[in-house]
């Protein structure tokens, strides 16, 4: 503490990581007409990479009075990753004789710089709580991709498959929340958040594409409201609804192609829009142990990773916006104390999901009922030793 009313804190974190991944795959290839075995592709992928992540956070709290505070927060983050991948690919005929070798290597690096500043003001009265705040976030990411063909002992740079992609995003947000204690057991909460997003993705490449520069600017409103009943004894019930946003990952916006194997490429989509989720939820708790939650959510412009055939021998995976996804959910959890050393917690989920949309002329209309449960056992043994044994089972799901 700087004084009785001012508190200052500084925290920092760093994560350093090194990757060494090896992948081997065998693909049998058949002729379509007549349908018969043709050849085998043996693909390997050797990836060497390293990454570093640094985060610094500075926080100041000003206790203006016994019922009001002003909280100021500043964050800075730096992320760097550098990956080098070797992909040897060999084709064999039916007699296991080498037909062709196609070996490639590529280097990929990403640098992300971000900072944010946030100010929050909180005020309390006997039956009313009030919060208001603003936040500004800026993110700059630079991505480089260099592709090389290996011919004999020579590594040849391929400018048609190499690119740089830079992305900048600025988000300005403001919010207000109000809490009203209607009675001893009933509380109402309501709020509104307004966000303006200004972004730009720019591709630098020798290949001619239609979407090298994609600027965007949009403003969104996110209301939320909730009602809580709590008798501080056996029962509590909460009902809420709210709207929220999920933005695309930066790598999903890069419009160039990245090979994941000889036959499959990953391609980003610079026109990928954020999705918007409207969520309705009711939750009941008995003695704060048995908790049952029912929910309904509708996602507009749902993110879907679509597999598309683009040629005779090539497939691409590309993220696209699907029209909507709807989810009906029911979940339950309950803790049970067997004895002084054995505690059990059970979790169960049941949902009905549907996905609908028109993707490049293909109509998607899928539905499925999903379920899963988890039984977690915690055993307290001698000398403070804890043993956790968990059993989990889940149904098939839509991918």
């Amino acid at each position: 503490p700087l004084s009785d009313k001012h508190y200052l804190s500084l925290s920092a974190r760093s994560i350093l990581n090194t990757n060494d991944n090896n992948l081997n795959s065998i693909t049998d290839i058949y002729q379509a007409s007549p349908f018969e075995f043709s050849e085998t592709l043996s693909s390997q992928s050797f990836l060497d990479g390293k990454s570093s992540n640094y985060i610094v956070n500075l926080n100041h709290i000003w206790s203006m009075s016994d019922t009001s505070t002003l909280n100021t927060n500043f964050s800075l983050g730096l992320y760097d990753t550098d990956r080098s991948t070797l992909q040897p690919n060999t084709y064999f005929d039916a007699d296991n004789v080498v037909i062709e070798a196609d070996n490639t290597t590529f280097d990929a690096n990403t640098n992300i710089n971000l900072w944010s500043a946030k100010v929050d003001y909180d005020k309390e009265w006997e039956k009313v709580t009030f919060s208001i705040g603003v936040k500004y976030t800026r993110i700059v990411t630079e991505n480089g991709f260099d592709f090389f063909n290996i011919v004999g002992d020579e590594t040849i740079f391929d400018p048609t498959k190499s690119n740089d992609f830079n992305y900048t995003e600025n988000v300005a947000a403001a919010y207000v929340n109000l809490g009203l204690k209607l009675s001893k057991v009933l509380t109402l909460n309501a709020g509104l958040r307004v966000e303006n997003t200004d972004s730009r993705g720019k591709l630098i490449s020798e290949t001619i594409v239609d979407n090298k520069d994609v600027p965007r600017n949009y403003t969104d409103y996110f209301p939320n409201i909730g009602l809580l009943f709590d008798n501080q004894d056996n029962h509590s019930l909460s009902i809420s609804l709210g709207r929220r946003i999920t933005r695309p990952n930066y790598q999903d916006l890069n419009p160039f192609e990245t090979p994941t194997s000889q036959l499959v490429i990953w391609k980003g989509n610079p026109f990928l829009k954020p999705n918007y989720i409207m969520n309705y939820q009711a939750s009941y708790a008995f003695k704060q142990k048995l908790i049952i939650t029912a929910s309904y959510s509708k996602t507009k412009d749902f993110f879907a990773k679509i597999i598309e055939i683009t040629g005779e021998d090539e497939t691409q995976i590309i993220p696209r916006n699907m029209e909507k996804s709807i989810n009906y959910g029911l979940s339950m959890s309950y803790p049970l104390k067997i004895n002084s050393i054995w505690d059990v917690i059970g979790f169960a989920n049941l949902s009905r999901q549907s996905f609908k949309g028109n993707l490049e002329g293909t109509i998607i209309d899928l539905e499925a009922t999903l379920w899963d449960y988890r039984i977690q056992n915690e055993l307290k043994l001698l000398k403070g030793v804890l043993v956790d044994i968990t059993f989990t089972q889940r149904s098939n799901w839509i991918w």
Side-chain angles (χ1 to χ4, degrees):
L2 301 176
S3 66
D4 293 339
K5 294 183 177 294
H6 294 273
Y7 302 85
L8 186 67
S9 64
L10 176 66
S11 63
R13 182 181 66 178
S14 65
I15 301 175
L16 305 178
N17 188 34
T18 300
N19 293 322
D20 183 9
N21 297 329
N22 299 330
L23 175 66
N24 297 279
S25 66
I26 301 294
T27 304
D28 292 332
I29 302 172
Y30 293 81
Q31 292 183 164
S33 180
F35 184 77
E36 61 182 16
F37 175 74
S38 173
E39 56 195 277
T40 298
L41 169 62
S42 174
S43 297
Q44 297 174 294
S45 181
F46 305 99
L47 184 149
D48 293 321
K50 59 182 180 180
S51 65
S52 59
N53 192 355
Y54 304 95
I55 298 175
V56 178
N57 184 271
L58 180 65
N59 180 252
H60 175 259
I61 300 176
W62 177 17
S63 296
M64 305 174 70
S65 68
D66 293 338
T67 60
S68 61
T69 59
L70 185 69
N71 193 327
T72 304
N73 186 279
F74 179 80
S75 297
L76 175 66
L78 303 173
Y79 175 80
D80 294 289
T81 180
D82 192 359
R83 296 176 297 170
S84 179
T85 304
L86 171 65
Q87 284 188 348
N89 305 278
T90 307
Y91 290 88
F92 298 88
D93 63 13
D95 297 323
N96 207 32
V97 176
V98 175
I99 303 173
E100 179 188 4
D102 188 357
N103 302 328
T104 61
T105 181
F106 49 90
D107 299 326
N109 60 78
T110 299
N111 300 308
I112 300 176
N113 298 321
L114 62 92
W115 67 267
S116 66
K118 186 170 82 165
V119 179
D120 300 295
Y121 173 75
D122 299 303
K123 175 69 175 178
E124 293 184 7
W125 292 274
E126 184 178 355
K127 294 186 177 182
V128 179
T129 59
F130 174 78
S131 300
I132 190 170
V134 294
K135 182 178 181 180
Y136 181 82
T137 303
R138 177 175 173 83
I139 300 173
V140 178
T141 173
E142 298 176 348
N143 305 270
F145 182 79
D146 295 328
F147 188 91
F148 303 86
N149 294 302
I150 300 176
V151 181
D153 296 331
E154 189 175 0
T155 301
I156 302 173
F157 176 69
D158 188 346
T160 65
K161 295 184 178 180
S162 304
N163 75 99
D164 292 319
F165 180 71
N166 301 325
Y167 180 77
T168 303
E169 182 179 86
N170 301 281
V171 180
Y175 79 91
V176 60
N177 286 324
L178 186 65
L180 301 174
K181 193 167 185 61
L182 304 177
S183 68
K184 291 183 179 180
V185 297
L186 203 59
T187 303
L188 175 68
N189 292 285
L192 176 66
R193 189 175 83 255
V194 181
E195 287 187 0
N196 174 263
T197 301
D198 183 77
S199 66
R200 184 178 185 182
K202 190 173 183 179
L203 176 70
I204 303 171
S205 170
E206 291 191 11
T207 302
I208 299 176
V209 293
D210 296 331
N211 41 25
K212 284 191 173 183
D213 195 350
V214 181
R216 275 206 182 120
N217 189 291
Y218 51 91
T219 300
D220 293 306
Y221 301 87
F222 302 97
N224 66 84
I225 188 170
L227 186 65
L228 172 64
F229 168 84
D230 189 355
N231 65 3
Q232 305 294 325
D233 188 11
N234 292 329
H235 309 281
S236 67
L237 174 67
S238 64
I239 302 173
S240 64
L241 63 91
R243 185 173 185 258
R244 66 179 187 268
I245 184 175
T246 303
R247 293 181 174 83
N249 295 325
Y250 307 130
Q251 60 266 32
D252 290 350
L253 298 170
N254 188 340
F256 216 73
E257 300 175 354
T258 303
T260 59
S261 72
Q262 178 70 8
L263 301 177
V264 180
I265 62 171
W266 163 266
K267 183 176 181 179
N269 181 1
F271 298 110
L272 199 63
K273 297 180 291 186
N275 66 39
Y276 297 89
I277 304 171
M278 194 67 197
N279 188 68
Y280 305 83
Q281 181 173 295
S283 183
Y284 168 76
F286 178 68
K287 293 187 176 180
Q288 299 302 316
K289 288 187 175 182
L290 174 64
I291 300 176
I292 302 173
T293 301
S295 62
Y296 166 80
S297 66
K298 182 178 180 180
T299 303
K300 179 185 176 183
D301 292 327
F302 173 80
F303 299 145
K305 290 180 173 62
I306 304 301
I307 300 174
E308 300 176 348
I309 298 174
T310 57
E312 292 184 359
D313 58 356
E314 191 172 88
T315 300
Q316 74 175 15
I317 302 175
I318 183 171
R320 296 194 184 277
N321 290 111
M322 191 176 291
E323 178 186 349
K324 63 181 178 180
S325 169
I326 296 176
N327 182 78
Y328 298 87
L330 183 66
S331 65
M332 181 177 66
S333 65
Y334 186 76
L336 180 63
K337 191 171 188 64
I338 305 298
N339 53 42
S340 60
I341 65 169
W342 185 11
D343 293 323
V344 177
I345 305 177
F347 303 88
N349 297 285
L350 177 67
S351 65
R352 180 70 178 176
Q353 292 186 352
S354 66
F355 303 88
K356 299 181 185 296
N358 186 335
L359 297 173
E360 301 294 311
T362 299
I363 304 300
I364 304 295
D365 190 355
L366 299 172
E367 292 188 12
T369 299
L370 314 178
W371 56 263
D372 68 86
Y373 66 89
R374 184 171 85 250
I375 301 175
Q376 183 175 333
N377 299 267
E378 185 179 273
L379 301 174
K380 301 174 184 178
L381 304 182
L382 298 177
K383 297 182 180 180
V385 177
L386 298 178
V387 176
D388 186 275
I389 303 173
T390 301
F391 177 79
T392 301
Q393 187 177 8
R394 65 179 301 173
S395 66
N396 294 331
W397 70 94
I398 296 177
W399 184 80

